Amino acid sequence: MQARSAKTLIIGAGPAGLAIAGQLAHRQQPFVVIEASDYIGFSWRNHYDRLHLHTVKEHSALPHFPFPVNFPTYVPRLQFVDYLERYADHFNIRPLFNQQVSQISRTTDGRWNVQTTTDLFEAEQVVVATGYNRLPNKPELPGQRDFRGIIWHSCEYRNGAAFRDENVLVVGMGNTGAELALDLLDYEARPFISVRGPVSILPRDLFGRPSQKTAIFLKKFPNWFCDLVTRTAQTMSVGDVSGYGLGKPAHSPSYNARRGKPPILDVGTLAQIKAGRITVVPGIERVNAKTITFTDGRERPFDAIILATGYRPALSAFFNPVVTDRILTESGYPKAMWFNESALRGLYFLGFTTPVTGVLYNLNSDSNSIARQIVENNFIPA
């Protein structure tokens, strides 16, 4: 098979892939973008209807291209998709679609081969920008094959219209699980949320100011001070919610975020839990035909289960095991954005962190760092 050549090959045409493509276009550097699906921003096109960015638009735009002034502070899903398309047009980013990557390997002359289902690409640099949510995480619940109702992952959920007047269990309470429960309530379902451990929560707007702006401001201070401020803010704004089944976090929101567990930015779910309209239940002991037994011994009837159990980057599928052990953590995330050892030079990872300051906010600085590194490696003036 004749390889298709690229100076820099970018894998993924979501926000991360577009961000690094925009950075390189801004520097007049050549690149090729490949995308597994038919569209730019494929995941965003298929998220649930009510989704908005949890971060403010002035800190969520991709590099060198702000959001239109008429967009709201928290941009809704479809407007964000429209923005991604405008971004691609602005920088003349033309991805090659339906290019699903099967393998990334090093050539004998120090370049990179990227094999897709239809083509072979050869590049000096490869930027893996497939995102931390490439594949849905679908755990097998004990006894779930006996269940006679619907079991969906959150990636299959659009809105709660199909669940009106039904008992629906949302498994997991991150930002997605919290919002799906709220959405189910809006469609007159009876939502429950299964929570296995303490949940860290902050309001999306803290004392009239977006929480993201506070997190960005706190970046300039030592970790101990950030932990003190965010713990105090959580105590004052959320209080002790252990009485509602949500536990009491042992650490501050900023401490947990540094360990890959950012807080829920609440947009109304907590108020509905306190009002008794959304019920929090513990972990699942067993799924039965029409009921679910929980770890506290209680058994309740349910019509549907929604798995808000997150996603996995699934990067190990791209590399041989030797390379995988060198570049990925035990949980499957890249250990760094790039590696200095010669055998891995020219391989970059973008968009695999979930900082408290916001994924999109960090894409700007991270893509800038990678673009500068690529320019230096190419010895081409920016």
Side-chain angles (χ1 to χ4, degrees):
M1 179 184 293
Q2 181 68 37
R4 303 174 68 169
S5 182
K7 194 78 172 177
T8 298
L9 184 70
I10 300 168
I11 304 174
L18 294 180
I20 186 61
Q23 293 277 21
L24 294 176
H26 181 72
R27 292 166 168 80
Q28 299 182 330
Q29 300 293 306
F31 61 86
V32 173
V33 179
I34 59 174
E35 163 60 35
S37 73
D38 296 318
Y39 303 103
I40 285 170
F42 179 80
S43 294
W44 280 91
R45 295 173 187 270
N46 292 280
H47 282 311
Y48 52 95
D49 293 345
R50 74 177 290 140
L51 178 63
H52 288 60
L53 296 183
H54 288 84
T55 52
V56 296
K57 67 177 182 180
E58 58 263 42
H59 293 308
S60 302
L62 299 185
H64 311 296
F65 192 72
F67 281 105
V69 293
N70 63 323
F71 275 32
T73 299
Y74 295 105
V75 178
R77 177 181 66 91
L78 290 181
Q79 278 192 306
F80 186 61
V81 171
D82 176 63
Y83 167 78
L84 295 180
E85 291 176 340
R86 295 189 197 191
Y87 191 88
D89 287 341
H90 178 77
F91 288 107
N92 196 30
I93 302 168
R94 298 289 179 261
L96 302 177
F97 295 109
N98 299 304
Q99 295 286 346
Q100 188 165 347
V101 172
S102 58
Q103 187 177 45
I104 302 172
S105 59
R106 189 75 157 169
T107 67
T108 56
D109 63 353
R111 292 167 64 86
W112 291 94
N113 276 345
V114 176
Q115 180 68 60
T116 73
T117 50
T118 58
D119 294 279
L120 175 65
F121 295 85
E122 189 177 77
E124 292 184 18
Q125 289 90 209
V126 171
V127 182
V128 182
T130 50
Y132 61 89
N133 60 348
R134 189 170 78 88
L135 292 179
N137 178 42
K138 298 181 178 181
E140 178 87 9
L141 302 176
Q144 77 172 45
R145 297 184 184 185
D146 298 328
F147 191 60
R148 297 181 185 177
I150 289 173
I151 300 179
W152 284 354
H153 187 271
S154 60
C155 67
E156 301 168 277
Y157 182 98
R158 297 296 172 269
N159 59 59
F163 304 103
R164 192 179 306 273
D165 201 35
E166 292 188 346
N167 288 349
V168 183
L169 179 67
V170 178
V171 180
M173 191 176 172
N175 279 313
T176 296
E179 284 204 40
L180 295 194
L182 198 59
D183 192 68
L184 286 161
L185 185 63
D186 288 345
Y187 281 92
E188 300 179 13
R190 293 182 292 274
F192 295 72
I193 307 177
S194 175
V195 174
R196 291 191 300 178
V199 179
S200 184
I201 303 173
L202 283 173
R204 187 179 66 178
D205 293 283
L206 186 60
F207 308 127
R209 175 184 173 87
S211 291
Q212 182 198 20
K213 290 187 176 182
T214 301
I216 292 171
F217 173 74
L218 289 174
K219 278 185 65 178
K220 64 184 73 173
F221 296 100
N223 287 341
W224 69 265
F225 182 76
C226 297
D227 294 344
L228 175 63
V229 172
T230 58
R231 171 66 96 183
T232 302
Q234 187 176 61
T235 300
M236 294 177 63
S237 62
V238 175
D240 184 358
V241 292
S242 58
Y244 299 97
L246 296 171
K248 187 173 183 179
H251 302 286
S252 71
S254 55
Y255 178 94
N256 290 331
R258 291 195 300 274
R259 283 148 184 82
K261 296 181 179 180
I264 295 168
L265 294 181
D266 180 54
V267 292
T269 304
L270 185 56
Q272 298 301 338
I273 290 173
K274 291 180 176 180
R277 302 182 70 202
I278 296 174
T279 304
V280 176
V281 292
I284 296 170
E285 181 71 30
R286 182 170 181 82
V287 177
N288 311 300
K290 296 183 179 180
T291 64
I292 296 175
T293 305
F294 297 97
T295 53
D296 63 356
R298 287 182 294 173
E299 184 177 352
R300 293 177 180 266
F302 284 96
D303 303 288
I305 300 171
I306 308 296
L307 300 173
T309 46
Y311 296 81
R312 293 289 181 265
L315 294 174
S316 60
F318 295 159
F319 302 95
N320 70 49
V322 174
V323 174
T324 295
D325 290 343
R326 288 154 68 185
I327 64 175
L328 302 181
T329 66
E330 289 185 4
S331 55
Y333 290 86
K335 295 178 180 178
M337 286 194 293
W338 66 79
F339 303 87
N340 292 324
E341 58 182 289
S342 58
L344 297 173
R345 191 163 295 141
L347 179 64
Y348 302 89
F349 295 91
L350 178 64
F352 293 95
T353 59
T354 54
V356 70
T357 49
V359 173
L360 294 170
Y361 175 80
N362 271 49
L363 280 183
N364 276 269
S365 57
D366 291 348
S367 63
N368 180 61
S369 297
I370 290 176
R372 291 177 59 185
Q373 187 77 5
I374 288 174
V375 169
E376 291 173 6
N377 285 347
N378 285 343
F379 301 104
I380 300 174

